[in-house]
DNA sequence: CTGAAAGCGCTAACAT
DNA sequence: ATGTTAGCGCTTTCAG
């Protein structure tokens, strides 16, 4: 409307701040103020501007805004290839919190295929890096490469599940798996011999499995029991592994009477199934505790006792921490540790 | 480096295009070209510029770029509150495809709590609207409100799972549930009386359930069998509903000998459990087919026959469609229909 | 093939 | 309280 353009330059946006200014008979600065700092304009002009905005259907150009303010209102979240439910709960929690605080989540998966240049390494937020105000990254195993890369990205960073070493200097959120494991052990030992207790772990390098295994060992050792090598085993987070483990126990004639603490619910389901197939009564002949508190644990019968992890709260806390950091860049690094809680169901009742 | 600034104006970015230009002894225009249209600069200048970029660690400011080019490389995806696995697979597929094509995904959930103004309605991408190049939205039930709102947002839009009415004028991706249901019916009828076949549905307004129920009806009616009212029922997508349904069938003494097609795997698990608890042999006395092909279907015993839905491909296709649309705005609206496929396992073998 | 210059639409001093 | 103005960092004509 009445604006003129250099040759070849056309207006790209339907309605800009200038149009609003014209219509409200004020300067663009006033429009900006009316929208962003309403207390700085007179009630009357404020109203006129808002009306013009409404009538014209004006939407500020976010890029232009961001170019000035250096913030986009978008938070990145980089996750490894997670189990379905864990993934969705985490995102859901993060998204809910972000939305409530006026932010949006940009998701990105962390792949192992880190390219030659660190620039496009495991964390492929690279191209989006300039678009996000901060990043949440989940770490599942010790990996200096990854931690270093994240470090070097130059965005405010919150780590999920990272070790103290890796999260060094950054805010972090994690779950007290040592405590979760302890709860499970205490529960199992209410009615068992230390010698008949087992830990069936996931991947050997996985932080979570490591912590749970460590706590399992510590628990029994602190009670004066020396664990045999066969009492703590690792493989992966699958139902197959649980089944295979149970099968081998059966062949050694050791499954009956065992108390099994599994590193996740899937493994536990595997153990449960093979145990029952072998004619064992659960929990009569075989007691099982899983980990994570997934829906799966409540779908099987008998229902699985499990250590429930507040996954969505993990996402929420990370977002909260990150936003607080954005508002207060000089805060000392903080660390939130969430507590898991043992849910006792039929699979382990003494 | 040598730049001067108006009072109170400081450089906000570590290194800008001007710095690179200075270092490479060219103009900023040339730097821009060297980076975005390498074929337009001489090999020699190109190299000099790239070196300068490298040495200075220059990263173009994405906001400034976007302000000019009007594209951010970010695609929005708005999803309703989905079942964990569905959600994660969809996002994973979308993210993988987006990444491969140089884009990023911004997720946002669709809530029912649509506010007074359409601006912040169910699809809360509002604040991000200006940041995304296009939007993928999943529709699970007829809702003119939502469809209209999406329409009005003025971004390229691809719908997932929408009815033809709702997706009117937009690109869309969906799954041929009618065909999936048909496959299941054909399989069940291989060894059954039409009168002993049942459909146990999810929410009555849910698109997917509606289509599956419709195909179930059509299948039997086209074979001259008139369905009784009790052969098609609706409730929700839970294991409890499956259990309740089976329980009632038992009380009517009708579960033995039944062939049951469930609208999803969870319902099927419910039916399976109650059936087995009642001492029925599956598939001997009771045949069951689920839907979705979730991991859950393979975790139970006997394993569930199920109609597998290519969920990640749903995400991938949507992204592909959207990006093609961005590149070719005038393409006529396109519709991709993916085919589900029946997976026969123990729960239904004749 | 390269440079100068004109903005993209907005915010934030600085004046008034 | 409001307007003027100077950019934010980049892409893209338009002239060489």
């Amino acid at each position: 409307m009445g604006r003129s353009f250099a040759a070849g330059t056309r207006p790209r946006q339907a309605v800009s701040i200038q149009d609003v200014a014209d219509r409200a008979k004020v300067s663009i600065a006033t429009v900006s103020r009316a929208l962003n700092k309403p207390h700085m304009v007179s009630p009357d002009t404020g109203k006129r501007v808002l009306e013009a905005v409404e009538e014209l259907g004006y939407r500020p150009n976010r890029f232009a805004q961001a170019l000035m303010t250096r913030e986009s209102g978008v938070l990145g979240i980089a996750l490894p290839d997670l189990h379905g439910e864990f993934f969705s709960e985490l995102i859901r929690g993060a998204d809910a919190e972000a939305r409530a605080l006026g932010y949006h989540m940009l998701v990105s998966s962390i792949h192992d295929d880190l390219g030659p240049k660190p620039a496009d390494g495991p964390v492929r937020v690279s191209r989006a890096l300039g678009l996000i105000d901060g990043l949440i990254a989940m770490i599942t195993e010790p990996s200096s490469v990854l931690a270093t890369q994240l470090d070097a990205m130059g965005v405010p960073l919150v780590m999920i599940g990272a070790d103290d070493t890796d999260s060094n200097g950054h805010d972090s959120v994690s779950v007290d798996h040592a405590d979760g494991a302890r709860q499970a052990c205490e529960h199992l030992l209410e009615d068992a011999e230390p010698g008949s207790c087992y830990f069936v772990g996931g991947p050997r390098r996985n932080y979570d499995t490591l912590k749970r295994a460590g706590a399992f060992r510590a628990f029994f050792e602190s009670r004066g029991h020396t664990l045999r090598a066969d009492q703590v085993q690792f493989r992966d987070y699958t139902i197959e592994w649980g089944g295979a483990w149970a099968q081998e126990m059966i062949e050694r004639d050791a499954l009956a009477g065992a108390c099994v603490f599994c590193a996740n619910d899937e493994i536990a389901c595997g153990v449960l199934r093979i145990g029952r197939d072998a004619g064992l009564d659960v929990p009569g002949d075989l007691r099982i505790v899983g980990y994570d508190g997934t829906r799966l644990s409540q779908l099987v019968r008998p229902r699985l006792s499990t250590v429930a992890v507040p996954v969505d709260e993990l996402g929420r806390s990370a977002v909260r921490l990150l936003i607080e950091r954005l508002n207060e860049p000089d805060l000392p690094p903080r660390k939130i540790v969430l507590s898991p809680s043992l849910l006792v169901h039929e699979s382990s009742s003494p």
Side-chain angles (χ1 to χ4, degrees), chain A:
Chain A
M1 336 218 155
R3 280 191 293 159
S4 68
F5 310 96
T9 308
R10 316 124 300 161
R12 318 291 204 68
Q13 180 163 310
V15 28
S16 83
I17 198 172
Q18 183 66 62
D19 300 322
V20 179
D22 291 350
R23 188 141 167 69
K25 312 262 184 243
V26 294
S27 73
I28 60 167
T30 298
V31 175
S32 177
R33 286 191 204 101
L35 259 25
N36 305 317
K37 332 208 152 143
H39 58 276
M40 293 188 66
V41 303
S42 82
D44 187 53
T45 23
K47 192 160 141 286
R48 280 214 322 288
V49 170
L50 258 34
E51 278 169 15
V53 166
E54 193 69 26
E55 291 163 16
L56 265 35
Y58 168 67
R59 308 287 283 168
N61 182 312
R62 304 286 275 110
F63 299 127
Q65 283 186 315
L67 183 54
M68 283 305 291
T69 62
R70 329 286 322 178
E71 47 196 46
S72 63
V74 177
L75 308 179
I77 182 165
L79 302 175
D81 256 341
L82 290 174
H83 162 61
E85 192 166 341
F86 209 88
F87 180 92
S88 56
E89 286 307 296
L90 197 59
I91 302 260
R92 221 193 285 293
D95 181 53
E97 192 72 24
R99 174 203 291 334
L101 297 171
Y103 283 80
H104 279 279
M105 300 301 312
L106 186 147
V107 299
S108 192
S109 45
I110 299 182
H111 287 297
D112 288 337
D113 59 352
L114 64 165
K117 340 176 180 167
D120 50 31
V123 183
R124 293 294 192 71
V125 268
S126 35
R127 248 185 67 89
L129 251 189
L131 291 169
I132 61 180
D133 293 343
L135 179 66
I136 294 169
M138 175 155 183
I139 308 282
T140 51
E141 44 180 81
S143 158
S144 49
V145 195
L146 192 88
T148 309
Q149 274 200 10
L150 288 169
D151 241 20
M153 301 216 294
V155 254
L157 176 65
V158 172
M159 287 191 170
I160 292 183
D163 194 275
D164 283 347
T165 328
D166 285 344
S167 73
N168 178 30
H170 297 288
D171 295 309
S172 81
V173 190
S174 55
V175 176
D176 189 350
H177 293 309
D179 184 60
R182 187 195 48 73
Q183 290 180 51
C185 291
E186 229 152 52
H187 167 62
L188 283 177
L189 204 59
E190 275 171 29
D191 187 33
E193 291 295 304
S196 63
C197 291
Y198 297 84
F199 175 77
V200 189
R204 199 182 293 274
R205 285 172 52 80
N206 185 99
Y207 269 143
D208 296 352
T209 272
L210 283 174
K211 287 205 210 135
R212 292 164 204 171
F216 179 87
R217 285 207 180 89
F219 180 86
F220 287 101
E221 277 159 16
S222 78
R223 276 166 176 66
H225 178 78
T226 307
L227 293 172
R228 302 183 309 275
D230 70 300
Q231 284 182 273
V232 177
Q233 306 245 310
F234 302 92
R235 180 85 57 93
D236 52 40
Y237 280 135
T238 65
I239 198 163
E240 285 75 22
W241 159 229
W245 180 87
Q247 194 58 52
E248 208 211 294
M249 285 287 284
I250 289 175
E251 280 153 24
R252 290 168 41 208
D253 206 29
L255 195 58
C259 289
V260 188
F261 175 38
C262 302
N264 81 347
D265 291 333
E266 298 201 31
I267 299 175
C269 282
V271 173
L272 173 61
R273 179 150 73 231
I274 298 299
R276 299 200 55 174
D277 284 358
L280 296 181
D281 176 58
V282 177
D285 304 322
L286 170 63
R287 293 173 60 219
I288 306 174
V289 174
Y291 209 106
D292 280 350
T294 56
R295 286 179 348 140
L296 173 62
S297 70
Q298 302 316 300
L299 291 181
V300 295
R301 286 299 180 275
R303 280 179 305 173
L304 226 48
S305 292
T306 184
V307 179
V309 174
V311 182
D312 76 319
E313 184 55 34
L314 212 51
R316 300 193 102 94
S317 301
V319 166
R320 223 175 292 130
L321 227 45
L322 182 51
I323 294 177
E324 285 169 14
R325 161 81 35 209
L326 295 176
N327 296 330
E328 206 90 59
D330 298 322
L331 241 41
R334 287 178 302 165
K335 184 173 172 62
I336 291 183
V337 179
L338 301 175
S339 297
S341 60
L342 177 68
L343 259 39
V344 178
H345 285 118
E346 301 88 65
S347 73
S348 71
S349 358

